[in-house]
Amino acid sequence: MPRPFTLFTGQWADLPLEEVCRLARDFGYDGLELACWGGHFEVGRALAEPGYLAGRHALLEKYGLKCWAISNHLVGQAVCDDPIDARHQAIVPARVWGDGEPEGVRRRAARELADTARAAAAFGVRTVVGFTGSSIWHLVAMFPPVPERMVQRGYEDFAERWNPILDVFDAEGVRFAHEVHPSEIAYDYWTTQRALDAVDRRPAFGLNFDPSHFVWQDLDPVGFLYDFRERIYHVDCKEARTRLDGRNGRLGSHLPWGDPRRGWDFVSAGHGDVPWEDVFRMLRSIGYDGPVSVEWEDAGMDRMTGAREALGALKRFDFPPPGTAFDAAFARGE
C-alpha cells in the first residue's frame, strides 16, 4: 500500500481550516498534519469544549482526509529558550505569554505541551511534532570561550524541563517527534545523540525527520535516517538549496528569505539539494510506514503551485518494492 501523504498546515494558518481541507483534497493529499495555531487545532478547546474534536473529525471526513499528527512547534520553542523575548510573544498564545516574565513563559509553555499530548490522545492521534527550544543555542559560535560545563548545563536544563512533559506523553500513549533544527537542543547529528542521551533515550522522545536542515549544514540525511532509524516518528518533506559561491555565507548573513545574497534558502520540494530517491529508499529499508508530510516553504514560489507540484514530485519516489528478489529467477529449482 502506498504511504499517506499529508500537507502541514503551519504555512496555511492564515486560511480557515475548511479552506485548507478543500485545497488539500483538490491537490490530491490524503490528510493534514494539523498545526496548533491559526485556529486549525486549538489545544484548549480540544480539552474543554464538548464536540470540538468531533467537529474537527467531521470536517476532515467531509473532504476525505485523515490526520496522523498534530504539530505544536511554536509553543515548544518557548519551553527551553533563553532569552525569551519579543520573538516569542509574536508566536505563542497570549495565555502562554502572560506577563512575559521569562520563566513564567517557559513553565506555561511546558504545561501547554503536556496538554497537547492529552488533546492528541483525545483526538486519536499518537504523534505530536514540534520543537524543544534551547538555552544554549546562543553559544553555537563558541566565542567568547564556552566552558563545557555551560553546554552540559543546557542539556540538563532540557531534561529537567522535558522529562515531566514526556511523563504525560507516556501516560497518554503519545510520542513527541522533535524536529532536528538549528536553534533547538538537537540541531545536527551529534547534538541529536546528546539530546537523546539527556532523556535516557526514553521512547516518548523521538524525531521528526526534515532533511532541509541537513542540506545547508553539509549533513547526510540518508545516513541520519539509518543511524536513528528506531527514532524516526514522523517525516516532513521540506527542501533547501545552497548557493555558497564565496560571498554568500552558510549562516545566512541576517538576510531575509529569498535574498540572492543568502548562502542557502528553503525551496519547494523537488527544487533543491535533498536526494529524495535515496531518502525514500531508506525510509522503506528502515520500515518507516507512517505519513510523509509536505511542508511548503519557498520565498520564490506561490504556495498553491508549490503544494501541488511538491506532492507530484515526491510521489514519484514512493514506488512499491518488488514482490520477489530480482535475482530469484536465476536460481535453479530443486
Side-chain angles (χ1 to χ4, degrees):
M1 290 289 291
R3 71 181 71 252
F5 281 78
T6 62
L7 179 67
F8 177 47
T9 73
Q11 287 79 20
W12 306 75
D14 56 314
L15 299 179
L17 180 57
E18 181 155 11
E19 176 66 6
V20 179
C21 288
R22 184 189 66 79
L23 289 169
R25 179 202 62 191
D26 293 349
F27 293 154
Y29 285 92
D30 303 302
L32 298 177
E33 176 192 346
L34 289 174
C36 294
W37 58 90
H40 289 182
F41 189 91
E42 298 173 80
V43 171
R45 293 182 67 188
L47 295 177
E49 185 178 314
Y52 177 80
L53 294 177
R56 281 293 178 259
H57 277 301
L59 186 56
L60 290 167
E61 290 168 6
K62 177 180 177 181
Y63 292 92
L65 303 172
K66 294 183 179 180
C67 178
W68 289 268
I70 63 174
S71 295
N72 208 351
H73 294 71
L74 304 186
V75 170
Q77 188 67 45
V79 172
C80 287
D81 262 9
D82 187 9
I84 296 287
D85 53 35
R87 298 168 301 153
H88 301 83
Q89 185 178 13
I91 64 173
V92 301
R95 66 180 177 276
V96 173
W97 180 255
D99 62 3
E101 190 277 318
E103 187 57 25
V105 174
R106 295 185 192 104
R107 293 183 184 277
R108 287 187 292 274
R111 288 198 294 270
E112 184 87 359
L113 258 294
D115 280 346
T116 304
R118 298 182 178 103
F123 194 50
V125 167
R126 299 301 169 189
T127 303
V128 173
V129 182
F131 291 149
T132 59
S134 171
S135 64
I136 53 173
W137 171 249
H138 66 285
L139 306 178
V140 70
M142 299 296 281
F143 188 85
V146 179
E148 168 56 24
R149 177 62 191 147
M150 188 177 290
V151 175
Q152 178 59 29
R153 179 62 197 132
Y155 285 92
E156 292 168 358
D157 176 76
F158 157 66
E160 289 164 7
R161 295 183 187 278
W162 274 90
N163 271 322
I165 299 171
L166 296 173
D167 289 342
V168 178
F169 274 76
D170 276 335
E172 297 293 337
V174 179
R175 308 178 303 180
F176 183 75
H178 167 59
E179 184 171 328
V180 178
H181 183 295
S183 79
E184 310 308 323
I185 197 68
Y187 60 88
D188 63 9
Y189 187 98
W190 297 114
T191 56
T192 298
Q193 295 276 22
R194 196 162 183 176
L196 289 168
D197 288 342
V199 292
D200 295 324
R201 296 183 176 260
R202 56 188 299 178
F205 187 82
L207 306 173
N208 178 52
F209 174 73
D210 178 346
S212 66
H213 306 294
F214 294 73
V215 164
W216 65 272
Q217 293 186 80
D218 280 339
L219 300 174
D220 174 12
V222 182
F224 185 94
L225 275 177
Y226 183 78
D227 287 358
F228 293 99
R229 55 194 177 277
E230 296 179 356
R231 293 290 169 161
I232 304 302
Y233 291 172
H234 191 262
V235 171
D236 273 354
C237 287
K238 192 161 97 268
E239 185 142 18
R241 180 169 61 192
T242 57
R243 295 189 300 271
L244 301 172
D245 61 2
R247 294 177 300 169
N248 298 350
R250 190 176 302 281
L251 298 183
S253 308
H254 292 297
L255 294 168
W257 304 115
D259 191 303
R261 296 171 295 170
R262 286 182 57 87
W264 68 277
D265 242 315
F266 292 126
V267 292
S268 194
H271 291 270
D273 299 329
V274 173
W276 287 116
E277 181 169 344
D278 292 342
V279 164
F280 274 83
R281 286 178 180 268
M282 183 57 75
L283 287 173
R284 189 176 298 113
S285 293
I286 66 174
Y288 177 80
D289 59 2
V292 167
S293 189
V294 172
E295 183 177 0
W296 170 85
E297 287 189 7
D298 191 325
M301 179 183 290
D302 179 77
R303 65 185 175 183
M304 299 294 181
T305 300
R308 187 189 301 274
E309 185 192 75
L311 179 61
L314 294 169
K315 276 192 168 183
R316 291 193 306 114
F317 303 118
D318 192 40
F319 40 77
T324 185
F326 70 85
D327 58 352
F330 300 155
R332 287 188 307 182
E334 293 296 332

